[in-house]
């Protein structure tokens, strides 16, 4: 009798255990693939997003919070090395892409044009996200042929990160305490010379070792400021031009005059700027949080004299502009259950609703209401960089293979700036190589 009773008791316990576990088994599974680095040691279990810092910390914490807030959905995350497109392309080729993936707005067209991404207009509408919620820059970045192919989460650009202590020593600070920024190539070279003579350090901290993207972004910005229509035809670029020559020769003069660091890779350039080894670090919006934190820490170079950050200065008399891109969540095109599609909608809505937390990275928010909020404008330095919302200019959305083009332009510009190749020859090669690429899509 005892044996039979024990048998039924165990059976009942098993049923209870299964019932208790059923929500986990019933959760709709989604796979998410992202860049932005790995930081599980610091934020792997954190769900308090307000305590997170940096791109990796905030992204990790946001996804942790989504999982915690939505027990009916479980997001499993794969972190890839930046930017992850070789891996993503291979996954599509194998028929096994992630459900949701981080994609630069400049790259969305490559995948959307091949039918690999799901248009999101209906999904966003179903969860109450309207296209009018987005800033003009972010909406244009994710719209291809009239359809939305990504949930924009930001716009980013390159900035002048400034060591104000060194600028004061160089005599390049106005009476109101703001930095003197150049208004022409000639003024830039003159200020760089003055900076070097007064401080013994280079004006620019640049990551020029093993680097192509920085060169290309610099060129785009100063072509835009000359009203250059170098991509009037999205399948044919014009770079062997007087406008492009002016930009490349300006950066070559900076290099030849010793007004920039030369042999630093990306990480080393950050460390050099933090150590006070130069006046202006050319780096992105994503560094604002880290540099602000350093400026608040006694004993650091940025604390000694202060830290400021501004858009690239207007050096030419054309359009007030600088190159910008943005990050987005894209969704792969594949057969899904209604439950999976609904779960994707929840995920996208969550990031829409939490765009302020992501904007703490330094990136400009994709949501208009966040961009104009007191909460956002109260963050450090947003008063000096918020103009990027109108200055930020992407390449035309119809231009495909933008990352491959970036590599070609950067390689050729590097050769010209460092003196390995004549400027004219580099511009000719830059133009022909890009057009060969676009002619064989």
């Amino acid at each position: 009798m005892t044996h039979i009773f024990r048998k039924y008791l165990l059976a009942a316990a098993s049923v209870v255990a299964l019932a208790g576990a059923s929500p986990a088994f019933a959760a709709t599974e989604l796979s998410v693939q992202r860049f932005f680095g790995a930081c599980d040691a610091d934020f792997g279990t954190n769900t308090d997003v307000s305590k997170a810092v940096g791109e990796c910390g905030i992204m990790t914490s946001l996804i942790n919070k989504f999982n915690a807030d939505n027990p009916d959905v479980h997001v499993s995350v794969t972190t890839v090395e930046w930017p992850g497109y070789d891996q993503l392309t291979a996954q599509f080729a194998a028929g096994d892409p992630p459900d949701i993936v981080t994609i630069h707005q400049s790259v969305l067209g490559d995948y959307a044009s091949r039918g690999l991404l799901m248009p999101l207009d209906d999904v966003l509408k179903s969860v109450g996200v309207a296209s009018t919620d987005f800033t003009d820059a972010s909406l244009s970045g994710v719209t291809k042929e009239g359809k939305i192919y990504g949930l924009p989460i930001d716009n980013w650009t390159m900035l002048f990160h400034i060591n104000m202590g060194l600028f004061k020593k160089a005599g390049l600070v106005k009476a109101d305490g703001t930095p003197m920024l150049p208004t022409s190539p000639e003024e830039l070279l003159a200020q760089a010379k003055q900076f070097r003579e007064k401080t013994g350090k280079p004006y620019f901290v640049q990551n020029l070792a093993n680097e192509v993207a920085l060169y290309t972004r610099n060129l785009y910005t100063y072509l835009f400021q000359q009203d250059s229509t170098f991509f009037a035809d999205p399948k044919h670029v014009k770079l062997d031009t007087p406008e492009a020559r002016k930009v490349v020769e300006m950066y070559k003069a900076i290099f030849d005059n010793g007004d920039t660091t030369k042999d630093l890779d990306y990480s080393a350039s950050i460390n050099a700027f933090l150590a006070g080894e130069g006046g202006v670090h050319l780096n992105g919006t994503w560094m604002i949080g880290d540099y602000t934190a350093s400026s608040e820490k006694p004993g650091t170079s940025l604390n000694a004299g202060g830290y400021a950050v501004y858009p690239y200065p207007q050096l030419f008399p054309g359009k007030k502009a600088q190159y910008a891109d943005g990050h987005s969540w894209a969704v792969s095109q594949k057969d899904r259950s209604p439950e999976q599609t609904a779960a994707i909608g929840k995920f996208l809505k969550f990031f829409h609703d939490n765009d302020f937390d992501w904007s703490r990275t330094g990136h400009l928010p994709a949501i208009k209401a966040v961009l104009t909020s007191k909460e956002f404008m109260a963050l450090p330095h947003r008063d000096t960089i918020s103009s990027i919302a109108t200055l930020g200019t992407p390449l035309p959305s119809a231009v495909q293979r933008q990352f491959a083009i970036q590599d070609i332009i950067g390689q050729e510009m590097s050769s010209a700036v460092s003196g390995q190749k004549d400027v004219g020859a580099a511009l000719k090669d830059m133009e022909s190589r890009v057009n060969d690429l676009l002619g064989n899509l």
Side-chain angles (χ1 to χ4, degrees), residues 18 35 42 47 51 60 73 75-76 78 109 126 163 203 213 216 223 229 237 259 281 295 338 340 382 405 433 436:
L18 284 170
F35 40 72
D42 294 320
T47 57
K51 292 181 178 176
T60 301
V73 181
V75 166
S76 58
T78 301
S126 74
N163 183 313
Y203 182 86
T216 306
L223 287 177
T229 54
V237 74
D259 292 325
H281 192 197
S295 72
Q340 288 173 315
R382 271 34 175 211
I405 291 169
R433 288 179 63 195
D436 283 346

Side-chain angles (χ1 to χ4, degrees), residues 104-109 112 121 130-156 224 319 322-328 365-368 388-399 402:
H104 289 87
Q105 292 163 20
S106 59
V107 179
L108 275 172
D121 303 73
S131 61
T132 52
D133 293 353
F134 304 126
T135 63
D136 292 346
S138 61
L139 179 61
S140 66
V142 297
T143 303
K144 313 296 174 186
E145 297 182 352
K147 294 182 179 179
I148 295 175
Y149 281 96
L151 176 90
I153 58 173
D154 64 47
N155 283 112
W156 59 260
F224 288 145
K319 175 186 175 186
Q322 69 174 79
Y323 175 70
D325 196 353
H327 300 115
S328 61
I367 307 302
K368 285 179 188 173
I388 295 295
T390 51
L391 293 174
T393 307
L395 293 188
S397 63
V399 177
Q402 290 188 32

